Every structure is written in structure tokens, then in C-alpha cells.
Amino acid sequence: MYAIVRAGGRQEKVSVGDVLIIDKQSAQPGESIELTPLLLVDGTTVTSDAAKLAKVSVKAEVVKAAKGPKITIMKYKNKTGYRKRQGHRQPLTQVKVTEINA
């Protein structure tokens, strides 16, 4: 059994036991969060009806906070001496899917 869930701005395919990295969540490590299911596949049965998916819950446990890769932003203008360097690392959260209740 697996589900397609909305995690931040993306959709992720998850099964029980999967560890995935999603956008930053306010929950602390060890706490449980619930992810919104968009599709549920159980063997040959595919559920995409919103009324049936309202009864489905996908629970995940927060493992730890993480950071994305370092991105370097460089701005430069020719012949003026203008250079600007900026870096960014996106805050993320690592979660482990604990159960899918259908």
C-alpha cells in the first residue's frame, strides 16, 4: 500500500517506513504530524475520491531538522565595480512515515 501526499508545495509518494525530506514543519523531533493524502493505492484498488480520502490518514514522525544545499547568488554589473554575493540554505524537515490508515 502506498499513498501520494501533499508535503509543502510538492507531492510525494510514500509507504510505511519511508523517510523523506519536506519543507520546514513547526513540530519538534519525536512529534507526530499528519500529511494530506491525495491518492491511495491498496493493491489493485485506487482511491482518489475526496469524500473517501477524508477518512484516510497518513501519519509521520519528525526525525530531525535539516538544511538544503547551499545556493550562491552572485550579482554583477559590468564596468561599475558593483558585485554582490549572497548565500541561502533552505530549512527542511526529515520525517518518517509511521502509518497509513485507510
Side-chain angles (χ1 to χ4, degrees), residues 3-8 14 20 22-28 30-38 52-62 93 95-102:
I4 306 293
V5 297
R6 177 174 290 132
V14 298
L20 61 144
I22 60 174
D23 289 340
K24 184 179 177 182
Q25 301 290 314
S26 60
Q28 297 298 318
E31 290 183 18
S32 182
I33 61 171
E34 191 160 333
L35 302 172
T36 307
L38 302 174
K52 292 179 182 177
L53 286 174
K55 300 171 188 165
V56 176
S57 67
V58 178
K59 292 192 167 116
E61 179 185 347
V62 175
T93 302
V95 298
K96 181 177 182 177
V97 178
T98 54
E99 61 180 296
I100 300 174
N101 291 329

Side-chain angles (χ1 to χ4, degrees), residues 33-55:
I33 61 171
E34 191 160 333
L35 302 172
T36 307
L38 302 174
L39 182 88
L40 179 69
V41 178
D42 189 7
T44 58
T45 308
V46 178
T47 306
S48 63
D49 183 33
K52 292 179 182 177
L53 286 174
K55 300 171 188 165

